[in-house]
Each structure stands twice: as C-alpha cells, then as structure tokens.
Amino acid sequence: MSPRQWAWLRPLAGVAILVALVVQLGADPFTDGLRRTDATAVVVALVVTAGTTWCCAWRWSLLSARLGVVVPVRTAFRRYYRSQLLNATLPGGVLGDVHRGVEHGRASGSMRRGVGSVVAERAAGQLVQAAMAAAALPLLPGGLGPDDGWTVVPVAAGLAAAVVLVVVLGWRVVVASVLASAGHVVVFVVAARSVGVDASLSSLTALGLVVLVAASVPLSVAGWGPREGAAAWLFAGAGLGAATGLSVAVAFGVVSLVATLPGLLVLTERRADVGPLPDLEEADRG
C-alpha cells in the first residue's frame, strides 16, 4: 500500500467504525456524551494535560538527545502542545506528530534523526502504555479479565515488559511515560464519572488503560473511531453497557480536544529554535 493510499485509509477506517456504532447504538450515546460533559471534567483535563504534555516533552527531549538532535524540554513542550492540537483536529490523528518530526528534522539539520526522534518517542510511550494495560487486565470488571487461574500471567507479563523497557529505554523515559499514561487515565475516569458511571476506580482505571491502547491505533478521524469502538465493546463486556462506553469515549474525546487548545498559542510560532512549518499534506505522504 502506497503512503497516499495509507493516508486515505486511516480516516476512512475511523469513519467506518463511527458509522457502525451509529447503526448499532444510534445517535443518543454521542449526544449523551456531549450533553453530560461538565465544567469539572474540562478543567481537570486542561490541568492534567498540561502535566502529561510536559512528561511527553521530557521523554522526547531525552530520546532526541540520544540521537544527537536534542530538543530542549521547554521547546519540546511548545511543539508537543501544537502536535496534540493538530492530531486532535486534522484527519488521520497523526499529522501533528508528522509535523513535529519534519519540523525538528529541518531545525536540527538531520531529517532522518529528527523524524526518528519523534517515532522513538511515540513508540516508547505506547510500549509503556501497553505494558501498564497488560498488568491491569486482572482489574477489568465482568468477564473481561483473565480466569482466576491465569490472573498472574498478565501481571507478570506487564512487569517483565516494564523491566525490559527500563533496560532498553532508561528509567527516566519509562517514568515519564508512566506519568503521562496515568494522567490520561485520570481524565478518562473523570469523563466516566461525568457521564454517570459508578464502577469502581480500579475497574475504570483498567478500562481506561485498554481504551487508550486502542486509541493509539492510527486508523481514526482526528483520534475518533478505534477509541469509541473499543470503549463500547469493553463496557458491554463489563456489563456496563455498550452505549455507556460510547458516551464515556465521546466525553473523553471532547475534554481531551479542549485540553489541546493551549496549542493555539504556538500554532504559528516563528522562533529560531522552531524553524519553518512544513507542509502537512506533503509530510504525511512521506
């Protein structure tokens, strides 16, 4: 599949998932998620996302230094906010990261290492997030978790993966990733509470971690699609209702989008340490 075809497939797949959800569950879960998103959830998302963005910027700074194209944490923080805003508003859900990588490649004088630093940063975060989700599987409610005799398996796998990641990535990169994932889970739990879900904190934490892993699949429309599909399926399996899961995902998506709006402050920034803005469409095509 060519890069151009892949660029079209990603948003189309996200649209297909959303259409399937509307056909199966109707429009009410979407409107309910929007209607029940309250000011508390928005404020929490804004504050927590500032912290998670700093953690992600720290992770990027650490990994870019290893590749010899270091980006200072403060610069990384501004660029990361902007990339999150673009990811959340442009089709595909990854154009902000593409923009960030190409921009850093131009600014650093090495396109390969500049883009590579962003790829490494995103991969590190997703690997740590997946390890956390694996370790949390026994906490899933209903029949989603492993059988009693196999409860120790995902925990052991998650811990083993964590050890390997510390050795490969370094403890600071892993700590930054854990803190970032934990912050996203906090926003997910608050969104679920705003919708009216009264499941236990441990259950919502486990559900949030698995949904976040699904949300990282690059087949979405500005982040929408896999996240909503996974939430509907998981909440149905947990006995909480597919419609409820979809409403939670919608509320989470809305507050997460609002939380990226500080990226507007640096959207057209022109500083010596930032460099010119690349063409997003050309960058996405490779």
Side-chain angles (χ1 to χ4, degrees):
M1 184 177 293
S2 69
R4 182 186 292 272
Q5 290 173 322
W6 179 241
W8 278 103
L9 174 63
R10 289 199 301 263
L12 288 177
V15 170
I17 294 172
L18 294 173
V19 169
L21 289 171
V22 172
V23 171
Q24 291 292 321
L25 302 174
D28 287 347
F30 289 91
T31 58
D32 191 54
L34 288 170
R35 179 176 58 83
R36 302 185 70 173
T37 301
D38 56 28
T40 299
V42 171
V43 171
V44 170
L46 282 167
V47 173
V48 172
T49 299
T52 60
T53 303
W54 185 268
C55 290
C56 293
W58 179 33
R59 179 175 65 205
W60 182 29
S61 182
L62 291 170
L63 291 172
S64 65
R66 294 187 188 181
L67 295 175
V69 285
V70 62
V71 53
V73 177
R74 289 186 179 181
T75 301
F77 183 63
R78 297 197 305 273
R79 294 184 185 180
Y80 216 101
Y81 248 124
R82 182 170 57 196
S83 72
Q84 290 180 136
L85 175 64
L86 296 176
N87 282 344
T89 54
L90 295 178
V94 296
L95 284 176
D97 293 321
V98 173
H99 176 279
R100 178 161 55 99
V102 174
E103 177 189 59
H104 188 46
R106 289 180 176 178
S108 65
S110 175
M111 186 62 69
R112 179 179 61 83
R113 287 182 291 170
V115 172
S117 70
V118 173
V119 173
E121 182 271 321
R122 296 302 300 138
Q126 290 172 10
L127 287 171
V128 171
Q129 189 168 267
M132 294 173 65
L137 288 179
L139 299 177
L140 287 172
L144 292 174
D147 294 335
D148 291 340
W150 296 93
T151 298
V152 70
V153 174
V155 176
L159 292 177
V163 172
V164 172
L165 290 170
V166 169
V167 173
V168 174
L169 301 175
W171 69 269
R172 289 195 295 173
V173 172
V174 172
V175 167
S177 301
V178 169
L179 291 175
S181 294
H184 294 316
V185 170
V186 168
V187 176
F188 182 88
V189 171
V190 171
R193 295 298 192 213
S194 71
V195 172
V197 180
D198 59 359
S200 67
L201 179 59
S202 61
S203 295
L204 286 176
T205 296
L207 288 167
L209 283 168
V210 179
V211 169
L212 287 173
V213 171
S216 66
V217 176
L219 297 172
S220 66
V221 184
W224 296 78
R227 177 183 62 210
E228 286 66 36
W233 179 76
L234 287 167
F235 274 66
L240 300 172
T244 299
L246 178 54
S247 294
V248 171
V250 169
F252 177 73
V254 170
V255 297
S256 296
L257 172 60
V258 174
T260 68
L261 292 182
L264 289 170
L265 299 176
V266 293
L267 186 60
T268 58
E269 184 178 42
R270 294 289 199 279
R271 292 172 60 106
D273 60 354
V274 172
L277 301 180
D279 182 89
L280 286 175
E281 185 176 355
E282 290 295 327
D284 190 44
R285 289 202 294 263

